[in-house]
Amino acid sequence: MIVLEKRPQASQLWSLATPVVAVLATMVFGGLLFALLGTQPVEAIRTIFWDPLFGEFAFYYRPQLLVKGAPLVLIAIGLSLGFKAGIWNIGAEGQYIIGALTGAGVGLAFYPLEAWYIFPLMVIAGALGGWAWAMIPGVLKVRFGTNEILVSLMLVYVAEQLLASMSLGLLKNPQGFGFPGSRNLNEYESANSWINQNAGLHWGVVAATIAVIFAYVLLNRHMLGFHIRLTGDAPRAARFAGVSPGRLVLFCLGASGMLAGLAGLFEVAGPAGQVSIDFNTGYGFTAIIVAFLGRLHPIGILLAGLLMALTYIGGEIAQSQMGLPAAAIQVFQGMLLFFLLALDLLTNYRIRLKSREVA
Amino acid sequence: MDLSQINPILLVASLMVAATPILLAAIGELVVERAGVLNLGVEGMMITGAICGFAVAVETGSPWLGFLAAAIGGAALSFLFVILTQFALANQVASGLALTLFGLGLSSLLGQSYVGIKPPPTPDLHIPLLSDIPILGPVVFSHDLILYLGIAIVAGVWALLKFTRAGLILRAVGENHDAAHALGYKVVRIRVMAILFGGACAGLGGAYISLVRVPQWTEGMTAGVGWIALALVVFASWKPWRVLLGAYLFGGITVLQLNLQAAGVAIPVEYLAMSPYVITIVVLVILSADKSRAPGSLGRIFHATS
């Protein structure tokens, strides 16, 4: 009979090994899925994981890695702070949309003026937009004890409707021949987040790097980071240590909302270019997987974000070259989270074989 | 704007139809939560049920087989949640989110070849006498079987929880799993059954959207109904009949905003469309003052040490 024995301390080795094992298991089972769908499994896995990095057209795909990875890392870093403390912001997708709307709104308000201060103002507006959207569940939780999971998630749908309303109304391009969507910010020099488009480098990549360093310092060298970890591991002990749960909720939700808002702004001012009805592509939800895959650790999230970006790009290649359905990649990513959560058992428990005792 | 276009009889009739998916999903989740498990994967199980039911109904031509397949599909997906939370002792919030993300992907993968197809119609019942009552007959007593099944499940769950020994054990497991374990009840086994029941109900609810309410298949068509169902369980303070009340309330709001859209009210369509979500938040705020009724072991991991 198999018995689970709780480890006195979480295993360091398994904590590092589970993401790797989970990725390998996902490759095997994902390959089986692809085989069921009638594609060559080995070739599909190679197309997804190898070709974007080392294939024939890698010079084109490698910059894409930064473009797709930056928003994922940025959002996931914010989410990980809350997840560590048991505060579940799962509405990052909504905060991402609102950040893009407020940021792009500020930029478009200045059109066609060209000035150095426009982009910084947009960054501030985007961060504030995301922050404010995340403050709704935050304040409601602190003031009324409302469940932040449900409220933040509901606000995603509200934000999606706002996005539709904005791209059909207020932010619509007056010279767009009646098509929905705003002016293209890529054609507006001062409101552009690209640093070097050919290298895939935009300010979001810089922000993501800074966020990783910041989060690392915060969690390892700062009292607030210690309080976050303490609240997650032992909420009662944290309360005795003088941690104010309300302030922690507001900080974690605010920080994650701000980072998600920034991610939205950098996306709309660069890779996406304009506010449009289908602007959001689910980064806010994929970032949840990234946060867990990275073990809620800043460096881990950086690596996980790049890996997840790889599956996006590889998935697109497999889609165009092998006819692999777009949804297959979504299933693939979901599967990864399953394996990760299941294998986490090994971090906290020992599996022992025991003969059944007399009850 | 012409509000007189809104026919109150049709409004009530379509309210019952709009409420049924939320009702089915919420009553399933209520049982799960009364057993002490928080399954946030309702949305994923619903959309999986929606496509399983749709596909089987289209292939076989029978909506009943479709609903059966939807229940099985929802339960099958919830079994993944069982493995994660009951056997691998994973965090329930994270596992529920995983279930939703996976279910959304899986459903659009399964549904690729079913876009734009019409499913076989689900026949409305004609109950002798009752259906012939003027006004009340066509409004309340002339719907399809699944709608009444939803109400019957609510009544069944209520009776189970209130009057039976099985219901008492289920509640004991949910309130204090350590004590229930010490009394010799099989905590994990009971929770597995509750989760599977919740999955089957969510699957049925999803299929009701794709086979009766819309009826069509589009990607992500549940559009947050699963999350509203989760909110509804809190709203109902874990009581079956209040779930029914809440579901009809939300059904009413949904139908009313659709009618207002059609009647051409001066409010933009997008703002009407966001109203069910905003109202859910408002209701959550009003009701979250009373947390005392939540099952004691809700969301906690159970690991028997001996």
Side-chain angles (χ1 to χ4, degrees):
Chain A
M1 190 195 172
I2 298 166
V3 181
L4 295 175
E5 199 180 273
K6 197 163 172 72
R7 291 178 195 271
Q9 268 176 336
S11 155
Q12 284 272 313
L13 174 71
W14 275 111
S15 175
L16 292 173
T18 39
V20 180
V21 179
V23 169
L24 291 176
T26 311
M27 282 187 185
V28 172
F29 281 84
L32 284 177
L33 173 79
F34 298 153
L36 281 177
L37 291 167
T39 37
Q40 279 290 320
V42 178
E43 200 178 329
I45 295 292
R46 209 203 60 214
T47 311
I48 294 172
F49 287 97
W50 184 263
D51 282 3
L53 289 177
F54 310 107
E56 196 181 340
F57 299 104
F59 63 90
Y60 172 75
Y61 295 122
R62 274 184 215 146
Q64 287 289 312
L65 210 58
L66 292 180
V67 172
K68 302 249 190 241
L72 288 174
V73 171
L74 210 49
I75 301 172
I77 286 282
L79 294 182
S80 70
L81 295 179
F83 289 179
K84 256 189 193 307
I87 298 158
W88 301 93
N89 173 14
I90 58 169
E93 185 81 359
Q95 293 135 23
Y96 172 84
I97 293 173
I98 298 297
L101 284 179
T102 52
V106 166
L108 289 168
F110 282 105
Y111 184 85
L113 180 80
E114 298 281 357
W116 62 267
Y117 54 80
I118 294 176
F119 190 67
L121 279 179
M122 287 168 68
V123 172
I124 295 170
L128 279 179
W131 174 82
W133 205 245
M135 269 302 109
I136 302 174
V139 170
L140 291 181
K141 180 169 178 81
V142 173
R143 182 74 187 74
F144 300 103
T146 317
N147 184 317
E148 80 280 12
I149 299 175
L150 293 172
V151 174
S152 62
L153 200 275
M154 287 291 140
L155 286 171
V156 174
Y157 294 96
V158 176
E160 276 178 353
Q161 295 297 333
L162 264 179
L163 175 71
S165 157
M166 289 297 158
S167 51
L168 293 169
L170 198 59
L171 296 180
K172 195 165 96 174
N173 184 355
Q175 290 154 351
F177 307 104
F179 285 107
S182 74
R183 277 180 207 282
N184 198 321
L185 293 171
N186 280 329
E187 290 156 16
Y188 181 17
E189 192 67 36
S190 298
N192 200 314
S193 69
W194 287 112
I195 300 170
N196 180 350
Q197 190 160 359
N198 291 329
L201 202 62
H202 63 78
W203 283 105
V205 179
V206 179
T209 316
I210 296 172
V212 168
I213 298 167
F214 236 84
Y216 186 84
V217 174
L218 177 77
L219 288 172
N220 291 299
R221 292 279 178 274
H222 197 277
M223 197 59 188
L224 185 60
F226 174 69
H227 282 169
I228 290 174
R229 287 187 300 157
L230 185 62
T231 307
D233 292 341
R236 248 172 80 81
R239 198 129 351 139
F240 284 121
V243 180
S244 153
R247 276 170 57 190
L248 205 64
V249 167
L250 290 181
F251 172 77
C252 288
L253 282 172
S256 59
M258 203 177 79
L259 290 175
L262 280 175
L265 164 88
F266 292 127
E267 189 73 10
V268 78
Q274 58 168 174
V275 174
S276 59
I277 294 180
D278 50 2
F279 160 73
N280 60 315
T281 46
Y283 282 142
F285 293 115
T286 313
I288 297 173
I289 306 180
V290 171
F292 281 113
L293 186 62
R295 307 238 57 123
L296 307 181
H297 187 282
I299 309 293
I301 287 171
L302 182 67
L303 296 174
L306 289 173
L307 181 75
M308 210 50 108
L310 190 64
T311 64
Y312 266 119
I313 300 159
E316 276 169 21
I317 304 173
Q319 212 179 318
S320 60
Q321 287 182 1
M322 311 178 67
L324 194 73
I329 270 306
Q330 217 180 331
V331 173
F332 195 77
Q333 292 173 345
M335 217 186 256
L336 182 57
L337 187 49
F338 272 132
F339 280 117
L340 196 70
L341 290 169
L343 287 168
D344 229 6
L345 179 74
L346 300 171
T347 310
N348 293 314
Y349 295 89
R350 268 193 205 100
I351 295 179
R352 285 276 162 87
L353 285 170
K354 264 188 192 168
S355 56
R356 186 184 275 272
E357 290 165 28
V358 181
Chain B
M1 182 170 95
D2 186 10
L3 285 179
S4 62
Q5 278 180 356
I6 300 175
N7 181 339
I9 295 180
L10 272 178
L11 192 73
V12 176
S14 50
L15 175 157
M16 291 178 71
V17 173
T20 300
I22 314 177
L23 178 67
L24 281 165
I27 195 69
E29 178 68 14
L30 181 133
V31 171
V32 177
E33 291 193 14
R34 281 307 272 274
V37 180
L38 181 65
N39 185 353
L40 291 180
V42 181
E43 180 83 5
M45 301 186 296
M46 276 188 100
I47 193 103
T48 307
I51 186 56
C52 288
F54 191 87
V56 169
V58 166
E59 299 298 339
T60 62
S62 156
W64 309 121
L65 283 177
F67 279 112
L68 184 67
I72 295 172
L77 195 65
S78 73
F79 192 69
L80 287 177
F81 185 81
V82 165
I83 296 172
L84 284 180
T85 59
Q86 302 305 307
F87 299 119
L89 307 178
N91 179 308
Q92 294 182 1
V93 173
S95 305
L97 290 176
L99 206 62
T100 292
L101 293 173
F102 183 74
L104 287 171
L106 184 69
S107 66
S108 49
L109 188 64
L110 292 172
Q112 284 178 92
S113 50
Y114 291 98
V115 177
I117 299 178
K118 267 202 126 24
T122 311
D124 285 340
L125 292 181
H126 187 88
I127 312 162
L129 293 176
L130 283 177
S131 298
D132 298 328
I133 305 169
I135 302 176
L136 205 61
V139 172
V140 183
F141 297 112
S142 300
H143 292 289
D144 53 279
L145 195 64
I146 302 296
L147 188 145
Y148 301 113
L149 178 69
I151 300 171
I153 291 177
V154 173
V157 167
W158 169 73
L160 178 97
L161 289 175
K162 196 169 170 70
F163 298 118
T164 69
R165 190 174 160 73
L168 197 65
I169 295 172
L170 184 91
R171 275 156 51 201
V173 167
E175 289 300 335
N176 190 334
H177 50 213
D178 294 320
H181 175 71
L183 286 171
Y185 297 127
K186 305 287 181 200
V187 174
V188 171
R189 196 177 299 165
I190 289 160
R191 285 188 168 166
V192 168
M193 287 193 290
I195 295 168
L196 292 178
F197 174 76
C201 282
L204 273 181
Y208 196 82
I209 299 178
S210 64
L211 287 176
V212 179
R213 175 125 195 263
V214 176
Q216 215 183 11
W217 165 253
T218 44
E219 261 182 45
M221 70 185 306
T222 46
V225 169
W227 295 102
I228 292 184
L230 276 163
L232 197 61
V233 179
V234 182
F235 165 84
S237 30
W238 294 270
K239 285 193 167 69
W241 289 115
R242 288 207 204 166
V243 165
L244 185 74
L245 181 78
Y248 278 20
L249 198 71
F250 280 107
I253 293 162
T254 315
V255 169
L256 192 66
Q257 64 95 357
L258 286 175
N259 274 287
L260 288 174
Q261 281 184 25
V265 181
I267 309 166
V269 176
E270 292 84 15
Y271 292 93
L272 284 172
M274 69 175 72
S275 61
Y277 308 111
V278 174
I279 289 169
T280 306
I281 296 174
V282 172
V283 168
L284 275 175
V285 169
I286 295 170
L287 285 155
S288 47
D290 181 23
K291 274 266 162 56
S292 55
R293 296 191 186 283
S297 294
L298 187 61
R300 279 171 45 208
I301 296 167
F302 173 69
H303 177 225
T305 41
S306 58

